[in-house]
Amino acid sequence: MTAVDYTVIVVYLAGMLALGWWGMRRASSTSDFLVAGRRLGPFMYSGTMAAIVLGGASTIGGVGLGYQYGLSGAWMVLTIGLGLLALSVFFSARIARLKVYTVSQMLDLRYGGSSGLISGIVMWAYTLMLAVTSTIAYATIFDVIFGLDRVVAIVLGGAIVVCYSTLGGMWSITLTDMVQFVVKTVGVLLLLLPIAVVKAGGFGAMKSELPHGYFSPMGIGAQTVFTYVLIYSFGMLIGQDIWQRVFTARDDRVARLGGTTAGTYCLVYAVAGAIIGTAAKVLYPKLGAPDDAFATIVKDALPVGVKGLVLAAALSAVMSTSSGALIACATVANNDIWARLRGRTLRTSGSSHDEVGGNRVFILLMGVAVIGISVVLNDVVEALTVAYNVLVGGLLMPILGGLLWKRGTGAGALASVGVGGLTVVALMGWKGILANEPIYFGLLASLVAYVAVSLATKPTDAAILDVWRRRLAGEPAASVSETTSPATTGA
């Protein structure tokens, strides 16, 4: 590392803080703070959506999978991109029309306020662990940059993200995400990818050096690919961090086309990461751990200046996901858990300064919690798997069922969340975090509970379904707190 590389990185970090301060001036209402005023156009929407889904696990973990399995290591990030495409094409327009702030508010609208608290707890656990995965990744990057101790690296990186996220909420995060998207594109796709391939001698040399399985599209295993689809593709359909970005879209068209563009970008990024990892296997065949591949190839193979930019790109990937997960975690903790415990609900039209201040406090609190957990945990892929297993096993059926099946009921949704979530957690404890069984049997148990209990209970009240249909159609309706609060629905 030279003075030029350090300068590039320091300027980048200072720029993130400056954009956070600038974003604070635009966050004068709850809508501004949580969903950027629902005003993003196609360019900013595409960039910020791509930034949130492609984080440390997708960048460092994606290159690590390429190092371990070759081109088939792209499948984890490919399934993320496929999930985002499915969300954008089939569901994003309807989700954006609901004009809510959280997934639990959507469930309240659909089922009449019967499962919001439990679903909020599950979603909070998911967003918390998602923020942890990105924060853990700071350790690898800052160790390469500054030679910092792991704990110091996590605290430093986490503090920067917490600072700019707390200042301006979604506006600050959107502005920083756009810079991060550009830096990531230049650093990883335009610089690191071609340089890594050239350093490894080109594709011909890579094929001659590595086993044939490194170039097989299913070398990672069909069962692993199927599990990735269940966890990551379906996870994209229902995550609070993703939905909160959908809520920022200016209109249906932006949500659909902008998300499709971001999903396509993810597919390109997935293949690039796997190729970089494969090249790293040729250059450094005996690394201690696959996740070391990214930092090692950046440190040893890149020229002065380029090294700093690519490391800034890695920080971009980590920070974009970390900040998006952090604001999602704080939004759920404040508005789906704490507010409900106090007997309150968040108005979708709310604009009071007190609500903005309360959300700022929760971002700060959740940020401190994320940093603390990250210091204790160590494995990025394991933490990400825990997050998505809990999310998909607990909430996929109630959410998709609510969108697609009129007969689904609040009691069915509540049973599905409880049975699916507990099954996933129990099987992770028994079979191991990375085992396939937790998500397989968790989803099956959640589906059976949802269908059986829904059919065994009274259909959802017609008045609730009428409000739901009007909101899906984009018609004006009363606020969520007026139509679905526990006090008005008997929940």
Side-chain angles (χ1 to χ4, degrees), residues 360 363 408 483:
R360 278 201 175 101
I363 289 181
T483 59

Side-chain angles (χ1 to χ4, degrees), residues 334-335 337-347 352 355 481 485-486:
N334 186 20
N335 302 301
I337 299 176
W338 177 242
R340 292 171 192 272
L341 292 175
R342 297 173 62 198
R344 298 174 56 198
T345 53
L346 179 66
R347 298 185 302 275
S352 76
E355 287 177 341
S481 60
S485 67

Side-chain angles (χ1 to χ4, degrees), residues 388-477:
Y388 276 97
N389 275 350
V390 170
L391 172 72
V392 175
L395 290 179
L396 179 67
M397 295 306 167
I399 293 172
L400 291 189
L403 289 168
L404 301 173
W405 190 38
K406 179 181 177 181
R407 186 60 179 81
T409 68
L414 191 59
S416 181
V417 172
V419 172
L422 290 175
T423 300
V424 164
V425 171
L427 286 174
M428 282 194 295
W430 179 29
K431 294 288 187 178
I433 291 174
L434 298 180
N436 293 317
E437 288 86 354
I439 193 61
Y440 293 168
F441 291 102
L443 275 175
L444 180 61
S446 181
L447 174 62
V448 170
Y450 181 68
V451 173
V453 176
S454 291
L455 293 176
T457 53
K458 290 174 56 179
T460 304
D461 186 87
I464 293 172
L465 288 178
D466 180 61
V467 172
W468 168 254
R469 283 191 294 267
R470 286 191 287 120
R471 290 290 279 270
L472 278 180
E475 298 177 14

Side-chain angles (χ1 to χ4, degrees), residues 47-103:
T48 193
M49 183 62 86
I52 179 66
V53 301
L54 295 174
S58 298
T59 302
I60 297 171
V63 171
L65 288 171
Y67 181 89
Q68 189 173 4
Y69 298 105
L71 298 186
S72 67
W75 273 110
M76 184 183 79
V77 184
L78 281 173
T79 55
I80 290 174
L82 293 173
L84 183 54
L85 286 171
L87 172 72
S88 302
V89 172
F90 299 112
F91 299 109
S92 62
R94 285 188 284 175
I95 292 170
R97 290 187 210 121
L98 292 174
K99 302 298 183 186
V100 295
Y101 292 117
T102 71
V103 173

Side-chain angles (χ1 to χ4, degrees), residues 247-271:
F247 300 151
T248 66
R250 185 171 61 207
D251 53 39
D252 295 359
R253 183 175 178 274
V254 169
R256 185 180 296 109
L257 296 182
T260 301
T261 301
T264 304
Y265 178 90
C266 290
L267 302 183
V268 175
Y269 199 87
V271 175

